[in-house]
Structure formats: C-alpha cells, structure tokens
C-alpha cells in the first residue's frame, strides 16, 4: 500500500500509497498517488525541491521492507551536476532488474518526472506520447487512465475509458495494471474487436491491408451503398389481389429522392422510401379500380400492400435492408459492383479486394464494417431484427462462458442461465460491460497503444469512439511495421483534429541495457539517420551475443540448445524467440517438441504465461522479456519493406540479454 514518504520544511510528513486512507477522525494517513498532494513525490528535483527536505522510497515485498532510499534536498550538500534525471534511483533500478513474469506490473512507486507530466496532463484534447523502445509509453498511458478516472470520476464514471492495443497477447500482458490500481471501468480491445459481433480471423497480406486501410475506401463504401438504392430499367408490373398495378421508374425516382433528402442512414431512410412507394401504389390501385377512396380506405390499402410478398420483393430489390456484413461481402464478391463503386481505385487495387462471400473477416475488414455500419444504421425489419437479436443472445452467452472460465469456479454453472440473468439488465451491468457490447458507445477517453500501426480507415473507426476527442495516442513512428501505418503523427491526426493535438516525448529507456541499445541504435540509423535513440539508464556489462551455425538445418537444433541454456539463466523470468513470419510454425513446432513444458502456443493471448514464447517481431511489439533470441536477422530484415523496423523492434525487447542466431551472414548493421 505505502511506497513513499515526503518530509516538508514546516515539519509535517505525508505518506504516499496506491490509494488514500484516513483514520477514524478523518486525518489523512495515506495520500493517493493520483492526488495533487502527491505530485511533489514525482516532480521534485534537487534544483527545484519546493518545500521538500526529504523524499523517501520504500521498497517492499508483501509486509517485508526490502530497502529504504532517501533523497535529501539540500543543494549545498549536492555535488555539482549531481542532480541527475532519475527519481528514486534505487527503487527504480530494483524494479527494472527484476525477472519478468509475462504480465506488466504498475510503476506507481517509481514514476519518473517526464512520465508524471504525461500522466497528469489535462483530460481534454489529443495527447501524443512519442517515445522509443523501453521508455515506458504504455505503462505511463495506463497510469494516465487511472489518474483520469480518479480526477474526473463524475465524467468518466458513466462513459468509461477504451484502451486499444495491437493484439490479444499484448492486452493479456497489460490487463492486470489497471485493476492493481483499483480501476475496472476500462474496456481493452484490439482494432479487430471494436465492432461487436464481428470476429476477425487474421490479417491480410500487406498489399491487401494497404488498400483496405486507404481513406479512399470510405468513398468506395458510400458509393457502393448508393448503388444499392436502385431504379428499375422500366415499368414494373405487380399483381396484387387480382389487380394489375404499374410502378413507373419516375415514381421510384421520386421516392428515392425523398428518402435521400431525409439525410438518414440507409436502413432508417428505407422507411421513407417504403412509405412513398406504398402511397403511390395505393393511389394507383384506387385509379385502376376507378373508386374514390377516403384517407381511411387508402390507409387500409397501404397496410394490405405492405403485407404483399410481391411488393416486399420489389422494395428489397430497389432499397434492400442491409447489414454491414452483407453490403461488404456482396461488394467484394462482385467485380461489377466493385468497378462501379471503386472508381478511384485502380484495377489492380480492386482485384486485391476480391474475396468469396463466405471468407472470414480480417482485422483490416473491421474498420470497413464499422464505416458501413455508420452509413447503414439499424435495420427496421422484424425478420432481420430477430436474426440480429439471436446474434446478440449468442454473443451474451459466449461472454458469460468466457467470464465463467476466468473465474475457474469449483461448481458447474450454465452460461445460458448467467446470460439470461443479466440480459436486459443494463443497470446491473458495469459501464465497461455495456460499452463493450455497444458499437456506438461514446467513451469519455480513448487510449491507443502502438498507434503508429493503425491505418487511416482504422483511425476513422477509433475517432468515432471518442466524439469528444479526448485521447491519448501512444507510439513510436520509428517502429511502424504495418505497410498501412503512420509515417508521421501529423499525417494521422490533422485530418481529424487539425491543430488541436499536442505531443510529449519520452527520451529515457528504462528497459533496454545500454549494451543492447548501442546495437539497436545502428539499426535505427539504417531506418532514418535523423532519428535519435532513447538513452538507456543502466548497463548490465553483457554484450549482445551471436551464435553462427553451419546451415538452416542446424539452426533449429542449436536454437533448442541455446533456449535450454538461457532458461537456466533467467530462472523464473521470461524468454522470447523472435523469428521471421515464414519460420514461425517451423520454429515453434520444433521447440515445443524439444521443450514441451516450457514453450507456449504461438501468438495466443496466453503466449506469455509459459517461460518461452515464440513470436514474430510484430507480435512482440510492446512486450519485454529477460532474454531475447532473434533467429536469422538477415531474413527478418528482408521479409518486408519495413524489415529494418521489425529488426529494430526485435533487438529492443530484452531487459537483460540479446542473442542473435544465424546461418546467413548478419546484416552489415549488426556485423
């Protein structure tokens, strides 16, 4: 609970902890780390101590005090230039050198001044946190979420906070941080999970992802939707109750114009279109019968016409009720529909979008489905509404099943009964639960991690989740690995918040030892000579090690030997084997066979729960390990146009040791 103490010039003392505590007389015993009274613990420096005479860091394990680190703010006693940049150096370095557990822990006791400035930055506007590997971007953003929920409880308590991460493994890695700080009103999701009811099955090839992420796709979807609001090629003959009716193209055009002028989403405007057609057909029926009908008679005829299968078929052909899935699957399966809607795309780009109607959705499809959902609106169709209700019911049962699996109860519980118990009970659901099931939920604040990887279409989707534009954007342009990702923060944000975003830069590397970072700096120079690597705060005295092998056939066997040796060195820590994507299955299968207990299943949410994780560089983004073994750096470098970025990510993951295994010659930057 308590990790710090402040002694002030007036003689009073404050203790700093994970939450605030008072005694029975409401005297403050412990100050919450997020409270304004705790700021001096993170902000005071030897040059500017304020009213502090001493700051104490208390390092504990459970109820045992491991160490006490005092900083006395007496400038006369400080050596010239001895102020330094680190606060609580002993406590910080102790935290940095601990073995990794496969889960991120909070840094509430060791927040540094540059991180504290970010954490306590105002709620409004878009804050960009730019920082190199190991600078604590992610953990600072998560502590910022806890700080904002504490400081703006009245606003965020009812709207919640959304944290968008690159993959499920990453979200599993960070999911204990906010609960450890007492905050649960947060939704964690990947880009592929932001549309409820859609499950992205994987990723597209880079060239396909680039096209799907292009902002021109917004126009393609809008035109494709207008193409589904059709006019007949000639008069339509309808036989209704032995009466022959003619529906002229001019009548359909008038109904379509009236519906479009309503400026409503497609499925909502469909009501206007149907009403106008029924009015025309009722008048036409009265004319054919030669009868003079009053308003009640016409209303009865319209009701009868609405129930006629022939009329419903015509309406569905001219202005169908559409789901996002149906609109996109039919668009991508039809070269003619794509040619009509994709006028701004080249023939080659349209060919990349082609897919079978029953193909699984990918991560890059989800922003397109969200774009379509925004244009379509809810379906006003009893049959379709019933189908969607069944989908929601199935999603609720699956949610209950997942929840019960996490609870690991000793008695069997039927997930259907749990779903029924809470179905419709919005008041009983938490904000996070309700927000996670509602595509249109407006979050009070949104945090986007590894934000440099998002495509322009993904940004359109994320911005809809934050209509108030209160956001924290976390990333490193130098680590952009996606071909559809960002090349500058201005390119990303100016289209959405022109001139209304601010940037903070983290420059200190807390994770990577200087020996490893010196090597990584050479890779960074190959990406862009103008980029500056972050400065490492510590050294291990252990240089990166290379392990050459005779051939690729020997590589996997040697890898198993190296992994076994490194496992003994890391003890209870974590080890990563980072491989080119083309080798992932081969290396994982071989290591899982050689070390079945130690090796996790590749690229699953719980991949970090085992001592050894086999991942690609992209899957390892945002993660850290005691030891990292990089397999075939030259192959990793040549695998994509962003190969140097992937290599930079790979070599900056370790907190202790880096090993390079190779049969091919090392790239010049690593040789």
């Amino acid at each position: 609970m308590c990790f710090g103490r402040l002694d002030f010039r007036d003689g009073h003392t404050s203790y700093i902890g994970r939450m605030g505590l008072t005694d029975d007389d409401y005297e403050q015993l412990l100050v919450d780390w997020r409270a304004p009274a705790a700021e001096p613990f993170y902000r005071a420096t030897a040059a500017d101590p304020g009213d502090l005479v001493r700051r104490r860091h208390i390092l504990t394990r459970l109820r045992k005090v491991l160490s006490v680190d005092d900083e006395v703010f007496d400038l006369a006693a400080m050596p010239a230039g001895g102020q330094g940049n680190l606060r609580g150096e002993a406590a910080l370095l102790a935290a940095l050198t601990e073995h990794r557990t496969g889960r991120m822990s909070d840094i509430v006791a060791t927040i540094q001044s540059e991180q504290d400035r970010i954490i306590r930055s105002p709620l409004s506007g878009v804050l960009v946190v730019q920082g190199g590997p190991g600078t604590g971007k992610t953990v600072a953003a998560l502590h910022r979420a806890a700080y904002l929920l504490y400081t703006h409880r009245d606003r965020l308590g009812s709207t919640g906070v959304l944290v968008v991460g690159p993959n499920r493994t990453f979200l599993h890695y960070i999911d204990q941080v906010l609960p450890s700080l007492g905050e649960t009103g947060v939704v964690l999701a990947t880009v592929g999970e932001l549309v409820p009811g859609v499950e992205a099955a994987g990723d597209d090839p880079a060239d396909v992802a680039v096209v799907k992420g292009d902002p021109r796709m917004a126009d393609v979807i809008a035109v494709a939707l207008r193409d589904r609001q059709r006019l007949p090629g000639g008069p339509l003959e309808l036989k209704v109750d032995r009466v022959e009716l003619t529906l002229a193209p001019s009548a359909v055009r008038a109904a379509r114009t009236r519906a479009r002028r309503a400026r409503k989403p497609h499925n909502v405007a469909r009501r206007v279109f149907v009403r106008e057609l029924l009015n025309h057909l009722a008048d036409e029926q009265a004319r054919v019968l030669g009868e003079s009908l009053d308003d009640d008679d016409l209303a009865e005829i319209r009701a009868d016409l609405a129930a006629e299968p022939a009329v419903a078929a015509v309406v569905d052909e001219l202005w169908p009720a559409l789901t996002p899935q149906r609109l996109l699957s039919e668009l991508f399966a039809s070269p003619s529909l794509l040619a009509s809607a994709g006028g701004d795309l080249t023939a080659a780009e349209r060919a990349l979008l082609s897919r079978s109607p029953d193909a699984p959705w990918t991560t890059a499809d989800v922003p397109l489905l969200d774009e379509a959902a925004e244009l379509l609106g809810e379906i006003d169709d009893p049959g379709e509404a019933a189908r969607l209700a069944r989908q929601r019911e199935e999603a609720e049962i699956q949610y209950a099943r997942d929840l019960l699996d996490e609870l690991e109860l000793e008695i069997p519980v039927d997930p259907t009964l749990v779903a029924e118990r809470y179905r419709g009970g919005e008041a009983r659901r938490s904000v996070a639960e309700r927000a996670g099931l509602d595509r249109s939920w407006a979050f009070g604040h949104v945090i986007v991690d590894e934000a440099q990887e998002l495509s322009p279409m993904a940004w359109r989707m994320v911005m809809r989740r934050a209509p108030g534009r209160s956001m924290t954007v976390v990333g490193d342009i130098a680590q952009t690995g996606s071909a559809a990702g960002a090349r500058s923060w201005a390119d990303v944000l100016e289209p959405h918040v022109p001139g209304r975003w601010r940037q903070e830069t983290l420059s200190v590397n807390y994770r990577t030892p200087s020996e490893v970072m010196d090597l990584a700096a050479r890779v960074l120079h190959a990406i862009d000579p103008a980029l500056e690597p972050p400065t490492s705060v510590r050294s291990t005295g252990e240089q990166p090690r290379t392990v050459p092998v005779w051939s690729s056939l020997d590589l996997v066997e040697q890898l198993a030997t190296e992994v076994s040796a490194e496992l003994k060195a890391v003890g209870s820590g974590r080890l990563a084997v980072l491989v080119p994507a083309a080798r992932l299955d081969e290396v994982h299968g071989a290591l899982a066979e050689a070390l079945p207990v130690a090796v996790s299943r590749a690229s699953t949410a719980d991949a970090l729960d085992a001592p050894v994780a086999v991942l690609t560089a992209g899957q390892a983004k945002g993660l850290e390990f005691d030891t990292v073994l990089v397999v075939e750096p030259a192959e990793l470098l040549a695998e994509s146009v962003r190969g140097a970025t992937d290599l930079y990510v790979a070599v900056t993951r370790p907190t202790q040791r880096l090993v390079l295994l190779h049969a091919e010659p090392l790239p010049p930057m690593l040789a």
Side-chain angles (χ1 to χ4, degrees), residues 18 33-34 104-107 138-150 153 161-164 171 173-188 447:
R18 295 174 181 278
W33 68 275
R34 296 166 288 190
M104 178 180 281
S105 57
D106 67 65
I107 59 164
T138 296
V139 74
L142 294 174
H143 284 67
R144 173 164 168 75
Y147 169 78
L148 293 176
L149 284 164
Y150 170 86
R153 186 77 63 187
V161 172
L162 171 65
V163 177
V164 180
L171 295 181
Y173 174 61
I174 69 171
D175 65 8
Q176 292 182 348
V177 175
L178 286 166
S180 76
L181 299 173
E183 299 297 347
T184 56
V186 177
V187 176
L188 303 180
I447 294 173

Side-chain angles (χ1 to χ4, degrees), residues 264-297:
K264 300 289 185 181
H266 171 90
N267 290 325
V268 179
R270 184 176 188 265
R271 305 169 195 168
V272 178
F273 180 78
V274 171
R275 184 184 67 230
E276 294 297 316
L277 279 193
L278 292 178
N279 286 340
H280 173 79
L281 289 173
D283 291 340
E284 177 70 7
Q285 184 167 335
R287 185 190 64 78
V288 170
L289 295 175
E291 299 177 358
S292 178
L293 305 177
D294 58 24
D295 290 343
D296 291 340
D297 293 330

Side-chain angles (χ1 to χ4, degrees), residues 380-459:
D380 186 26
D381 181 301
E384 187 64 25
R387 187 184 68 79
L388 293 176
R390 288 195 300 273
Q391 281 188 350
R392 282 194 294 270
E393 181 178 335
E394 291 169 0
E396 289 169 343
I397 293 173
Q398 183 60 49
Y399 178 81
R401 185 177 292 113
D402 294 341
L403 179 63
L404 292 171
D405 289 343
E406 289 182 12
L407 293 175
E408 296 181 348
L409 301 177
E410 296 181 358
I411 58 174
V413 178
D414 186 350
T416 304
L417 295 179
V418 175
E420 288 177 356
R421 168 71 175 80
Y422 287 96
R423 185 169 299 127
E426 294 298 318
R428 292 191 292 271
R429 289 179 178 158
S430 69
V431 169
E433 289 170 334
R434 284 183 282 140
L437 295 171
D438 186 351
R439 188 199 68 84
S440 61
W441 188 275
F443 288 91
H445 192 76
V446 173
I447 294 173
V448 186
D449 207 339
E450 299 295 340
Q452 73 278 356
E453 302 301 326
L454 270 62
S455 70
M457 288 303 296
W459 277 110

Side-chain angles (χ1 to χ4, degrees), residues 89-334:
E89 186 171 330
L92 173 64
L93 293 180
L96 296 180
T97 55
E98 281 187 337
H99 284 310
R100 272 31 193 178
T101 63
R103 294 294 185 93
M104 178 180 281
S105 57
D106 67 65
I107 59 164
V108 65
T110 58
I111 293 170
Q112 298 299 294
S113 56
E114 66 173 3
Q115 296 168 328
D116 189 66
R117 185 176 65 251
I118 288 165
I119 291 168
R120 298 177 194 271
S121 184
L123 172 66
S124 61
V126 177
L127 171 65
V128 175
V129 183
Q130 162 69 34
T135 52
K137 304 182 296 295
T138 296
V139 74
L142 294 174
H143 284 67
R144 173 164 168 75
Y147 169 78
L148 293 176
L149 284 164
Y150 170 86
T151 308
H152 303 279
R153 186 77 63 187
D154 55 337
R155 175 174 170 182
L156 299 182
S158 59
T159 56
V161 172
L162 171 65
V163 177
V164 180
N167 53 57
R168 262 290 134 194
T169 303
F170 176 85
L171 295 181
H172 186 61
Y173 174 61
I174 69 171
D175 65 8
Q176 292 182 348
V177 175
L178 286 166
S180 76
L181 299 173
E183 299 297 347
T184 56
V186 177
V187 176
L188 303 180
T190 66
V191 167
E193 296 169 339
L194 287 180
V195 176
V198 176
E199 185 174 346
D203 295 320
D204 286 301
D207 53 353
V208 178
V210 168
V211 177
K212 290 182 177 180
D214 194 293
R216 291 176 295 167
M217 287 302 300
D219 292 331
V220 171
I221 294 170
V223 174
L225 184 56
R226 290 178 69 86
D227 284 348
R228 302 302 296 270
Q229 300 164 0
R230 295 167 175 153
L231 297 175
L236 297 177
E237 302 296 334
L238 300 175
K239 188 172 184 179
V240 178
D241 195 21
R242 296 190 299 276
V243 177
E244 297 284 349
L245 301 178
T246 300
L247 183 59
S250 59
V252 177
R253 183 183 298 277
R256 187 179 72 169
T257 300
R258 183 69 63 87
R260 286 179 173 177
R261 285 178 178 172
R263 298 191 180 279
K264 300 289 185 181
H266 171 90
N267 290 325
V268 179
R270 184 176 188 265
R271 305 169 195 168
V272 178
F273 180 78
V274 171
R275 184 184 67 230
E276 294 297 316
L277 279 193
L278 292 178
N279 286 340
H280 173 79
L281 289 173
D283 291 340
E284 177 70 7
Q285 184 167 335
R287 185 190 64 78
V288 170
L289 295 175
E291 299 177 358
S292 178
L293 305 177
D294 58 24
D295 290 343
D296 291 340
D297 293 330
L298 289 172
E300 185 175 344
I301 291 175
R302 285 194 295 269
D304 291 340
L305 288 169
E308 281 289 335
V311 174
V314 167
V315 169
D316 286 340
E317 175 64 25
L318 299 177
W319 193 297
L322 295 169
T323 63
Q325 291 89 332
R326 179 183 168 189
L327 176 65
L328 288 190
S329 62
E330 292 179 358
L331 172 65
F332 292 159
S334 170

